Amino acid sequence: MATGEAAWATFKKGEKMSIYLEQDAVLYRLHPVTKIISLGCLLALSFTFNHPLYLIPLGLGIIGIGWAGKSLNNIRRIWPFLIGLIILIAVLIFISGIRLTTIRREAFSGPSLLYGLGMGIRLNMIILSGLFFLSTTKVEEFIFGLNKLRIPSKLILPLSLAFRLIPIFVDSGATVVAAQQARGLDLESGGLIRRMKAYLGLIIPIFLSGLQKTKYLAIALQSKGFGARGKRTFYLDFKISRADVISLGVLISLNLVCLWLRFQGYGIIH
């Protein structure tokens, strides 16, 4: 009985690893094209400055977007990694003393520390932008938006598969582990080496299960006429709303202001 409960808990744990969150928030109702363009604007903002004092407000703004989209729960999974990433990059650059626009090395310099913090914050902004995008956008919506942007289907397919690849293997792993535990496989007792050996035996069936699902996906694509020419129709349908216009207007205006500040020499560590 305990083994069956452990197997069910493992399977449910695998289900919860999905990034997308179904919430009642305005960000979920935005047009997919708006979301894609907004993601591009947020990524552009992260590369505008390299000074932490200018990047911190932008980073807080991205967190505010996540709060508006009720997507902060996904940060709880990785917040130690995000903080550790900032510290690691700041320490490495501070020790090496790498300057952005100079050839010489000035070890343990103040600008190096600021530059390191800025690079750590920039990387976190990129991660959070992508995380909030995936938290509020289904794969089907992403594909719909790319089609509306006239992206070729041969490019859309690899992008969509990249979104599906990790969930496919996570789902396969959770199913295989639950099935083996239901058959009496003990993955919890013993030392680290014993548990690693127990999990090694699951690698082959997990990959075979994942590859089998990709085979079914290829068959489904062929049956639906992937690559056929002509005007396509979509099950999903979205309309541009006032929220889309306001969102794009605010982000594009913010990008223009930041670019103007950048060209004026603000927010740059020389």
Side-chain angles (χ1 to χ4, degrees):
M1 185 68 178
T3 304
E5 293 178 354
W8 176 250
T10 302
F11 182 75
K12 295 299 289 182
K13 182 179 179 181
E15 286 184 341
K16 294 179 181 178
M17 292 187 69
S18 175
I19 297 179
Y20 178 76
L21 301 172
E22 187 69 45
Q23 300 287 348
D24 183 17
V26 65
L27 292 185
Y28 292 83
R29 297 188 291 271
L30 291 177
H31 196 283
V33 173
T34 301
K35 295 181 183 181
I36 294 174
I37 297 177
S38 298
L39 175 62
C41 290
L42 293 178
L43 294 178
L45 284 175
S46 64
F47 286 96
T48 305
F49 307 114
N50 62 15
H51 199 294
L53 293 181
Y54 287 80
L55 289 173
I56 288 176
L58 296 177
L60 292 177
I62 293 177
I63 295 177
I65 292 175
W67 173 81
K70 299 180 181 180
S71 306
L72 295 182
N73 285 336
N74 278 335
I75 297 184
R76 296 175 183 175
R77 304 180 183 183
I78 61 171
W79 70 265
F81 167 76
L82 297 176
I83 295 177
L85 192 62
I86 293 178
I87 297 175
L88 177 62
I89 294 177
V91 169
L92 290 177
I93 295 182
F94 176 62
I95 292 176
S96 62
I98 299 176
R99 296 290 297 277
L100 182 62
T101 58
T102 59
I103 300 178
R104 67 181 183 279
R105 295 174 179 269
E106 298 178 2
F108 305 101
S109 63
S112 297
L113 178 59
L114 290 176
Y115 181 66
L117 288 173
M119 293 301 99
I121 296 172
R122 172 184 289 178
L123 189 55
N124 273 263
M125 290 172 61
I126 295 173
I127 294 174
L128 290 177
S129 298
L131 180 64
F132 292 146
F133 176 79
L134 295 177
S135 300
T136 58
T137 308
K138 296 180 180 179
V139 178
E140 294 79 9
E141 296 174 356
F142 179 62
I143 296 174
F144 177 87
L146 292 178
N147 274 286
K148 289 299 181 180
L149 291 173
R150 307 297 182 184
I151 305 298
S153 298
K154 292 183 179 180
L155 294 178
I156 294 177
L157 179 61
L159 290 174
S160 63
L161 290 179
F163 276 87
R164 297 178 186 272
L165 186 61
I166 294 179
I168 284 175
F169 279 100
V170 167
D171 178 66
S172 299
T175 304
V176 170
V177 169
Q180 294 300 321
Q181 284 186 323
R183 293 182 175 93
L185 179 63
D186 185 8
L187 297 173
E188 302 298 331
S189 62
L192 178 62
I193 302 299
R194 183 193 176 283
R195 283 181 288 172
M196 289 178 61
K197 289 181 179 179
Y199 274 102
L200 283 176
L202 301 177
I203 293 179
I204 294 178
I206 288 174
F207 271 93
L208 288 178
S209 177
L211 291 176
Q212 187 72 16
K213 290 184 178 181
T214 58
K215 178 183 177 181
Y216 293 150
L217 177 62
I219 295 174
L221 288 172
Q222 290 179 355
S223 65
K224 294 178 180 179
F226 175 76
R229 297 181 180 180
K231 186 176 180 180
R232 291 189 55 184
T233 59
F234 296 91
Y235 173 76
L236 298 175
D237 188 23
F238 298 90
K239 295 182 179 179
I240 299 294
S241 64
R242 182 180 299 177
D244 294 294
V245 177
I246 295 174
S247 301
L248 289 178
V250 170
L251 286 176
I252 293 175
S253 299
L254 182 59
N255 270 266
L256 293 176
V257 171
C258 290
L259 283 175
W260 180 81
L261 291 173
R262 169 67 182 265
F263 288 132
Q264 296 297 317
Y266 296 99
I268 301 298
I269 300 176
H270 297 286

